[in-house]
Amino acid sequence: MESLTSRMQGVQSPIIPVVGELIKNSPGTISLGQGVVSYNPPPEAIEFLPKFLAEPTNNLYKSVEGIPPLLTALAGKLQAFNGIEINEENCIVVTAGSNMGFMNAILAITNPGDEIILNTPYYFNHEMAIAMAGCRVVLVATDENYQLQKEAIAQAITPKTRAVVTISPNNPTGVVYSEAALRQVNQICETRGIYHISDEAYEYFTYNGVKHFSPGAFGNSKSTISLFSLSKAYGFASWRIGYMVIPKHLFVAIKKVQDTILICPPVISQYAALGALQAKAEYLQSNIGALAQPAVGIAQVRQLVLDSLNRLQGLCSITPANGAFYFFLKVNTQMDAFELVKRLIQEYKVAVIPGTTFGMDDGCYLRVAYGALQKDTAQEGIERLVQGLETIVRG
């Protein structure tokens, strides 16, 4: 049996558990690795759980695409925040997280051997999903500031291309794409008869007055697939609730995928999500602090991290990033990124993620995540990182 092979051998191993094992073996390590937030779901999410328990039929399977009250609430949110109108050309499908939404989309729009364009650095789970589907990833480099290069994207399209994927605000770089750039990609996809898959898991995480734009609001409903998540903004990581806005003509195909893999999103989590969407604006403002209160929450931690990282000028290239909760460093060294990560954990008790897992093999890159930390812990963690990089790299 050990000699048997499968398609999984061609899929990279997820990096988070690998780094997690290194952290486990080095007690006291502060993690600047996994992309989660430090705060809990709003109380409204928990308050809706008795509504789930009060209905005996909630122990049964529910609609593949999600319970009607949640679909209605999401339609309202999409209209108000994203400018996306749910109409006869599109629809919402609730998923067990937006990673599942991406897998649903890939399986629904491709045949084995088809191509999907990812902009580098890419989100590793996207690359893994495409490989699992038996499709080919086509990589297109972003510019020196990790912004999209529309001409390069257009040139990479072949008869086998089925979609271009964008992530804004971006994981792993933290950059936010402009409305103009996203419109250009959207138009390229519509003109060439392919899909634009827009991952917007970090839609609420923008800073310094930068605004998030949703390609689904540009009017190309038949060629745009939009992915959203409650995991980040609402502290909902383990509840596993995301959702997709898809062209109506993909609904049957995506229902087939979701019914096979999931049957329906966890109904108790859908009730909690319905409650979370009732939270007042102050919940997001106080926890993220992106626009209204930049001196609180993740925005405050971000500035603290940035101030410390700026001491590494000359040792690292730090691209300006006004979104998500990541910085993506290029370290001026010939060291292997994973070896550097291991030494930082073992010698300085601070963990980051190597850039190789995001498709960056032409140098030593590190993703620094700051969303999971309170101010004091973030200060200590980033000080360890700065000290470690200065000693290891300069030494």
Side-chain angles (χ1 to χ4, degrees):
M1 293 296 290
E2 290 182 4
S3 65
L4 292 177
T5 61
S6 83
R7 69 183 68 196
M8 290 301 115
Q9 289 188 309
V11 178
Q12 69 164 303
S13 297
I15 192 65
I16 298 299
V18 174
V19 173
E21 191 64 25
L22 291 171
I23 294 171
K24 180 181 175 182
N25 294 330
S26 187
T29 296
I30 295 175
S31 178
L32 299 168
Q34 192 163 21
V36 293
V37 297
S38 62
Y39 54 87
N40 295 321
E44 290 87 346
I46 309 306
E47 290 165 5
F48 262 63
L49 298 185
K51 297 177 184 292
F52 166 83
L53 297 170
E55 176 50 67
T57 64
N58 279 336
N59 293 316
L60 303 175
Y61 296 131
K62 297 298 180 182
S63 299
V64 175
E65 66 270 26
I67 58 174
L70 181 55
L71 294 172
T72 299
L74 290 172
K77 175 266 176 185
L78 287 162
Q79 179 78 67
F81 184 79
N82 305 95
I84 297 175
E85 179 186 358
I86 301 303
N87 52 40
E88 67 280 354
E89 293 186 345
N90 60 12
C91 59
I92 303 168
V93 176
V94 180
T95 60
S98 62
N99 272 7
M100 182 173 188
F102 186 82
M103 192 81 220
N104 285 354
I106 295 301
L107 291 174
I109 68 174
T110 65
N111 290 309
D114 284 344
E115 297 173 353
I116 304 292
I117 293 175
L118 299 183
N119 297 281
T120 55
Y122 54 67
Y123 172 45
F124 55 86
N125 281 138
H126 286 173
E127 189 268 347
M128 292 167 68
I130 294 163
M132 287 179 191
C135 295
R136 177 172 172 262
V137 172
V138 174
L139 301 180
V140 173
T142 50
D143 69 14
E144 65 277 7
N145 292 315
Y146 303 123
Q147 293 293 331
L148 300 172
Q149 300 194 94
K150 68 178 189 301
E151 294 86 0
I153 292 171
Q155 290 172 5
I157 296 171
T158 75
K160 285 187 169 291
T161 305
R162 294 295 170 263
V164 176
V165 180
T166 61
I167 310 169
S168 183
N170 188 263
N171 177 11
T173 67
V175 303
V176 182
Y177 301 146
S178 68
E179 179 181 11
L182 290 169
R183 281 189 181 276
Q184 288 165 347
V185 174
N186 211 245
Q187 188 60 54
I188 289 169
C189 291
E190 183 181 38
T191 301
R192 302 293 288 271
I194 61 177
Y195 293 97
H196 181 183
I197 302 177
S198 172
D199 186 329
E200 303 175 44
Y202 299 90
E203 57 184 328
Y204 291 104
F205 297 85
T206 58
Y207 315 98
N208 298 324
V210 172
K211 192 176 187 308
H212 167 69
F213 294 97
S214 295
F218 298 159
N220 300 338
S221 296
K222 293 183 179 179
S223 59
T224 306
I225 298 170
S226 304
L227 308 178
F228 302 94
S229 173
L230 272 70
S231 294
K232 314 302 181 186
Y234 288 96
F236 242 62
S238 73
W239 292 88
R240 306 313 304 135
I241 291 292
Y243 54 102
M244 323 168 63
V245 179
I246 61 172
K248 185 65 72 68
H249 65 258
L250 290 177
F251 186 53
V252 172
I254 283 177
K255 282 183 71 174
K256 289 178 183 178
V257 178
Q258 183 140 302
D259 183 69
T260 300
I261 296 174
L262 185 68
I263 297 183
C264 68
V267 179
I268 190 169
S269 295
Q270 291 190 69
Y271 269 76
L274 184 58
L277 292 172
Q278 317 301 314
K280 295 180 174 59
E282 287 76 20
Y283 170 80
L284 295 177
Q285 290 169 0
S286 61
N287 284 304
I288 301 173
L291 294 174
Q293 297 171 282
V296 302
I298 289 177
Q300 185 182 34
V301 174
R302 173 186 177 274
Q303 191 58 51
L304 179 154
V305 169
L306 185 59
D307 290 344
S308 293
L309 288 178
N310 281 334
R311 288 160 39 200
L312 295 172
Q313 294 290 349
L315 190 68
C316 298
S317 299
I318 306 165
T319 299
N322 288 309
F325 36 74
Y326 306 112
F327 289 110
F328 200 64
L329 311 183
K330 183 175 184 181
V331 187
N332 298 325
T333 178
Q334 298 301 311
M335 282 187 69
D336 174 77
F338 187 66
E339 287 303 312
L340 179 55
V341 167
K342 285 200 292 187
R343 287 193 61 183
L344 286 167
I345 294 172
Q346 293 164 356
E347 299 173 25
Y348 291 89
K349 294 190 182 297
V350 62
V352 290
I353 302 296
T356 45
T357 201
F358 305 101
M360 300 299 279
D361 299 315
D362 61 338
C364 184
Y365 296 84
L366 303 174
R367 188 190 75 173
V368 179
Y370 53 86
L373 303 179
Q374 299 291 341
K375 181 180 177 182
D376 292 345
T377 311
Q379 181 76 65
E380 174 64 23
I382 204 66
E383 286 301 316
R384 293 182 189 182
L385 177 64
V386 169
Q387 182 184 354
L389 288 174
E390 287 179 331
T391 305
I392 295 171
V393 177
R394 288 209 167 103

PDB file of all heavy atoms in Angstrom, residues 21-40:
ATOM      1  N   GLU A  21       4.336  23.062  14.772  1.00  0.00           N
ATOM      2  CA  GLU A  21       5.113  22.015  15.445  1.00  0.00           C
ATOM      3  C   GLU A  21       6.438  22.566  15.959  1.00  0.00           C
ATOM      4  O   GLU A  21       6.888  22.222  17.061  1.00  0.00           O
ATOM      5  CB  GLU A  21       5.362  20.854  14.473  1.00  0.00           C
ATOM      6  CG  GLU A  21       5.928  19.604  15.116  1.00  0.00           C
ATOM      7  CD  GLU A  21       5.003  18.946  16.127  1.00  0.00           C
ATOM      8  OE1 GLU A  21       3.762  19.148  16.023  1.00  0.00           O
ATOM      9  OE2 GLU A  21       5.506  18.241  17.019  1.00  0.00           O
ATOM     10  N   LEU A  22       7.057  23.450  15.176  1.00  0.00           N
ATOM     11  CA  LEU A  22       8.298  24.087  15.633  1.00  0.00           C
ATOM     12  C   LEU A  22       8.038  24.950  16.874  1.00  0.00           C
ATOM     13  O   LEU A  22       8.843  24.971  17.813  1.00  0.00           O
ATOM     14  CB  LEU A  22       8.888  24.952  14.515  1.00  0.00           C
ATOM     15  CG  LEU A  22       9.452  24.206  13.299  1.00  0.00           C
ATOM     16  CD1 LEU A  22       9.794  25.204  12.187  1.00  0.00           C
ATOM     17  CD2 LEU A  22      10.676  23.396  13.682  1.00  0.00           C
ATOM     18  N   ILE A  23       6.914  25.658  16.879  1.00  0.00           N
ATOM     19  CA  ILE A  23       6.549  26.488  18.028  1.00  0.00           C
ATOM     20  C   ILE A  23       6.318  25.609  19.259  1.00  0.00           C
ATOM     21  O   ILE A  23       6.768  25.930  20.373  1.00  0.00           O
ATOM     22  CB  ILE A  23       5.289  27.326  17.716  1.00  0.00           C
ATOM     23  CG1 ILE A  23       5.593  28.354  16.619  1.00  0.00           C
ATOM     24  CG2 ILE A  23       4.757  28.006  18.970  1.00  0.00           C
ATOM     25  CD1 ILE A  23       4.357  29.075  16.103  1.00  0.00           C
ATOM     26  N   LYS A  24       5.630  24.484  19.048  1.00  0.00           N
ATOM     27  CA  LYS A  24       5.343  23.551  20.150  1.00  0.00           C
ATOM     28  C   LYS A  24       6.633  23.055  20.791  1.00  0.00           C
ATOM     29  O   LYS A  24       6.708  22.868  22.007  1.00  0.00           O
ATOM     30  CB  LYS A  24       4.522  22.384  19.606  1.00  0.00           C
ATOM     31  CG  LYS A  24       4.141  21.334  20.635  1.00  0.00           C
ATOM     32  CD  LYS A  24       3.344  20.227  19.979  1.00  0.00           C
ATOM     33  CE  LYS A  24       3.050  19.095  20.959  1.00  0.00           C
ATOM     34  NZ  LYS A  24       2.303  17.982  20.291  1.00  0.00           N
ATOM     35  N   ASN A  25       7.661  22.847  19.969  1.00  0.00           N
ATOM     36  CA  ASN A  25       8.937  22.347  20.472  1.00  0.00           C
ATOM     37  C   ASN A  25       9.840  23.439  21.021  1.00  0.00           C
ATOM     38  O   ASN A  25      10.958  23.154  21.460  1.00  0.00           O
ATOM     39  CB  ASN A  25       9.668  21.583  19.360  1.00  0.00           C
ATOM     40  CG  ASN A  25       8.931  20.319  18.958  1.00  0.00           C
ATOM     41  OD1 ASN A  25       8.251  19.705  19.775  1.00  0.00           O
ATOM     42  ND2 ASN A  25       9.056  19.931  17.693  1.00  0.00           N
ATOM     43  N   SER A  26       9.361  24.687  20.987  1.00  0.00           N
ATOM     44  CA  SER A  26      10.126  25.811  21.522  1.00  0.00           C
ATOM     45  C   SER A  26       9.210  26.647  22.404  1.00  0.00           C
ATOM     46  O   SER A  26       8.749  27.731  22.013  1.00  0.00           O
ATOM     47  CB  SER A  26      10.705  26.656  20.381  1.00  0.00           C
ATOM     48  OG  SER A  26      11.570  27.653  20.870  1.00  0.00           O
ATOM     49  N   PRO A  27       8.885  26.150  23.614  1.00  0.00           N
ATOM     50  CA  PRO A  27       7.918  26.823  24.501  1.00  0.00           C
ATOM     51  C   PRO A  27       8.294  28.276  24.756  1.00  0.00           C
ATOM     52  O   PRO A  27       9.470  28.624  24.879  1.00  0.00           O
ATOM     53  CB  PRO A  27       8.009  25.995  25.799  1.00  0.00           C
ATOM     54  CG  PRO A  27       8.506  24.657  25.367  1.00  0.00           C
ATOM     55  CD  PRO A  27       9.451  24.929  24.227  1.00  0.00           C
ATOM     56  N   GLY A  28       7.246  29.110  24.792  1.00  0.00           N
ATOM     57  CA  GLY A  28       7.455  30.533  25.018  1.00  0.00           C
ATOM     58  C   GLY A  28       7.580  31.343  23.753  1.00  0.00           C
ATOM     59  O   GLY A  28       7.731  32.567  23.805  1.00  0.00           O
ATOM     60  N   THR A  29       7.480  30.667  22.595  1.00  0.00           N
ATOM     61  CA  THR A  29       7.569  31.371  21.317  1.00  0.00           C
ATOM     62  C   THR A  29       6.340  32.249  21.105  1.00  0.00           C
ATOM     63  O   THR A  29       5.207  31.827  21.356  1.00  0.00           O
ATOM     64  CB  THR A  29       7.697  30.370  20.152  1.00  0.00           C
ATOM     65  OG1 THR A  29       8.930  29.663  20.294  1.00  0.00           O
ATOM     66  CG2 THR A  29       7.678  31.082  18.810  1.00  0.00           C
ATOM     67  N   ILE A  30       6.547  33.462  20.641  1.00  0.00           N
ATOM     68  CA  ILE A  30       5.457  34.356  20.239  1.00  0.00           C
ATOM     69  C   ILE A  30       5.258  34.192  18.742  1.00  0.00           C
ATOM     70  O   ILE A  30       6.198  34.289  17.965  1.00  0.00           O
ATOM     71  CB  ILE A  30       5.775  35.821  20.586  1.00  0.00           C
ATOM     72  CG1 ILE A  30       5.851  35.997  22.107  1.00  0.00           C
ATOM     73  CG2 ILE A  30       4.722  36.772  19.993  1.00  0.00           C
ATOM     74  CD1 ILE A  30       6.285  37.393  22.543  1.00  0.00           C
ATOM     75  N   SER A  31       4.033  33.917  18.345  1.00  0.00           N
ATOM     76  CA  SER A  31       3.758  33.647  16.932  1.00  0.00           C
ATOM     77  C   SER A  31       3.305  34.897  16.198  1.00  0.00           C
ATOM     78  O   SER A  31       2.301  35.522  16.554  1.00  0.00           O
ATOM     79  CB  SER A  31       2.690  32.562  16.781  1.00  0.00           C
ATOM     80  OG  SER A  31       2.408  32.349  15.403  1.00  0.00           O
ATOM     81  N   LEU A  32       4.083  35.253  15.179  1.00  0.00           N
ATOM     82  CA  LEU A  32       3.676  36.253  14.196  1.00  0.00           C
ATOM     83  C   LEU A  32       3.377  35.518  12.892  1.00  0.00           C
ATOM     84  O   LEU A  32       3.653  35.995  11.801  1.00  0.00           O
ATOM     85  CB  LEU A  32       4.797  37.283  13.988  1.00  0.00           C
ATOM     86  CG  LEU A  32       5.212  38.098  15.216  1.00  0.00           C
ATOM     87  CD1 LEU A  32       6.502  38.860  14.953  1.00  0.00           C
ATOM     88  CD2 LEU A  32       4.105  39.058  15.626  1.00  0.00           C
ATOM     89  N   GLY A  33       2.799  34.314  13.057  1.00  0.00           N
ATOM     90  CA  GLY A  33       2.601  33.425  11.923  1.00  0.00           C
ATOM     91  C   GLY A  33       1.183  33.369  11.411  1.00  0.00           C
ATOM     92  O   GLY A  33       0.867  33.925  10.368  1.00  0.00           O
ATOM     93  N   GLN A  34       0.290  32.711  12.147  1.00  0.00           N
ATOM     94  CA  GLN A  34      -1.041  32.444  11.613  1.00  0.00           C
ATOM     95  C   GLN A  34      -1.893  33.698  11.527  1.00  0.00           C
ATOM     96  O   GLN A  34      -1.847  34.568  12.403  1.00  0.00           O
ATOM     97  CB  GLN A  34      -1.761  31.392  12.461  1.00  0.00           C
ATOM     98  CG  GLN A  34      -3.027  30.848  11.799  1.00  0.00           C
ATOM     99  CD  GLN A  34      -3.486  29.551  12.426  1.00  0.00           C
ATOM    100  OE1 GLN A  34      -3.135  29.225  13.546  1.00  0.00           O
ATOM    101  NE2 GLN A  34      -4.282  28.792  11.697  1.00  0.00           N
ATOM    102  N   GLY A  35      -2.690  33.775  10.461  1.00  0.00           N
ATOM    103  CA  GLY A  35      -3.523  34.942  10.201  1.00  0.00           C
ATOM    104  C   GLY A  35      -4.870  34.881  10.883  1.00  0.00           C
ATOM    105  O   GLY A  35      -5.878  34.580  10.240  1.00  0.00           O
ATOM    106  N   VAL A  36      -4.898  35.132  12.174  1.00  0.00           N
ATOM    107  CA  VAL A  36      -6.152  35.188  12.925  1.00  0.00           C
ATOM    108  C   VAL A  36      -6.161  36.479  13.738  1.00  0.00           C
ATOM    109  O   VAL A  36      -5.147  37.163  13.865  1.00  0.00           O
ATOM    110  CB  VAL A  36      -6.325  33.968  13.856  1.00  0.00           C
ATOM    111  CG1 VAL A  36      -6.505  32.692  13.049  1.00  0.00           C
ATOM    112  CG2 VAL A  36      -5.133  33.821  14.804  1.00  0.00           C
ATOM    113  N   VAL A  37      -7.328  36.800  14.316  1.00  0.00           N
ATOM    114  CA  VAL A  37      -7.434  37.998  15.154  1.00  0.00           C
ATOM    115  C   VAL A  37      -7.473  37.601  16.620  1.00  0.00           C
ATOM    116  O   VAL A  37      -7.756  36.452  16.966  1.00  0.00           O
ATOM    117  CB  VAL A  37      -8.689  38.832  14.784  1.00  0.00           C
ATOM    118  CG1 VAL A  37      -8.586  39.344  13.359  1.00  0.00           C
ATOM    119  CG2 VAL A  37      -9.972  38.021  14.991  1.00  0.00           C
ATOM    120  N   SER A  38      -7.219  38.565  17.485  1.00  0.00           N
ATOM    121  CA  SER A  38      -7.128  38.293  18.926  1.00  0.00           C
ATOM    122  C   SER A  38      -8.475  38.388  19.627  1.00  0.00           C
ATOM    123  O   SER A  38      -8.620  37.908  20.746  1.00  0.00           O
ATOM    124  CB  SER A  38      -6.157  39.280  19.578  1.00  0.00           C
ATOM    125  OG  SER A  38      -6.635  40.610  19.434  1.00  0.00           O
ATOM    126  N   TYR A  39      -9.456  38.996  18.997  1.00  0.00           N
ATOM    127  CA  TYR A  39     -10.709  39.279  19.687  1.00  0.00           C
ATOM    128  C   TYR A  39     -11.780  38.230  19.384  1.00  0.00           C
ATOM    129  O   TYR A  39     -11.663  37.435  18.450  1.00  0.00           O
ATOM    130  CB  TYR A  39     -11.214  40.683  19.352  1.00  0.00           C
ATOM    131  CG  TYR A  39     -11.360  40.980  17.870  1.00  0.00           C
ATOM    132  CD1 TYR A  39     -12.535  40.670  17.187  1.00  0.00           C
ATOM    133  CD2 TYR A  39     -10.341  41.601  17.156  1.00  0.00           C
ATOM    134  CE1 TYR A  39     -12.681  40.955  15.843  1.00  0.00           C
ATOM    135  CE2 TYR A  39     -10.476  41.893  15.803  1.00  0.00           C
ATOM    136  CZ  TYR A  39     -11.643  41.561  15.152  1.00  0.00           C
ATOM    137  OH  TYR A  39     -11.785  41.844  13.813  1.00  0.00           O
ATOM    138  N   ASN A  40     -12.822  38.243  20.202  1.00  0.00           N
ATOM    139  CA  ASN A  40     -13.896  37.252  20.117  1.00  0.00           C
ATOM    140  C   ASN A  40     -15.051  37.745  19.253  1.00  0.00           C
ATOM    141  O   ASN A  40     -15.155  38.940  18.968  1.00  0.00           O
ATOM    142  CB  ASN A  40     -14.421  36.935  21.524  1.00  0.00           C
ATOM    143  CG  ASN A  40     -13.377  36.252  22.385  1.00  0.00           C
ATOM    144  OD1 ASN A  40     -12.624  35.410  21.907  1.00  0.00           O
ATOM    145  ND2 ASN A  40     -13.321  36.631  23.654  1.00  0.00           N
TER     146      ASN A  40
END
